[in-house]
Amino acid sequence: KDGYTMAQGEFSTRDEREKMIRNKAATATYKVAISMLTFSTAIIFFLLISSLNVIAMKQLVIAVLSTIVVLSMFVYLFSWFVLDRKL
């Protein structure tokens, strides 16, 4: 029997699948976000050493962090779609 059951109050079969998709998509997103943060931190550190323009560095940090957040959202969305089609 598939679908909504009053006793459980949920879509019992689909909930386990949705949890698995959510967990795998979040894991992929965290891996990409941590990799991008590590890479960008190293680059910003080396640029900070070679540059004394503090205002430009502030703008660069904000731009890099904003880009990482947006790309992480796209990774989550894309991995959700891929996993939803696969599973």
Side-chain angles (χ1 to χ4, degrees):
K1 181 177 169 183
D2 196 21
Y4 187 76
T5 59
M6 290 296 284
Q8 293 180 352
E10 63 182 3
F11 289 95
S12 57
T13 305
R14 295 197 58 145
D15 276 352
E16 288 84 19
R17 182 175 171 271
E18 295 294 329
K19 287 178 187 176
M20 184 172 40
I21 291 172
R22 181 185 65 216
N23 289 339
K24 287 184 178 187
T27 302
T29 304
Y30 289 139
K31 287 179 182 178
V32 169
I34 295 298
S35 300
M36 286 190 298
L37 282 171
T38 304
F39 181 71
S40 64
T41 302
I43 288 177
I44 289 173
F45 178 72
F46 288 121
L47 288 175
L48 186 62
I49 289 173
S50 65
S51 173
L52 295 177
N53 190 354
V54 177
I55 294 174
M57 286 306 294
K58 287 180 183 178
Q59 292 172 345
L60 178 66
V61 168
I62 291 172
V64 167
L65 290 177
S66 301
T67 303
I68 290 172
V69 168
V70 170
L71 289 176
S72 297
M73 289 181 189
F74 280 123
V75 167
Y76 184 80
L77 181 67
F78 181 72
S79 57
W80 180 277
F81 288 150
V82 168
L83 290 169
D84 189 44
R85 303 279 275 167
K86 274 175 54 174
L87 300 177

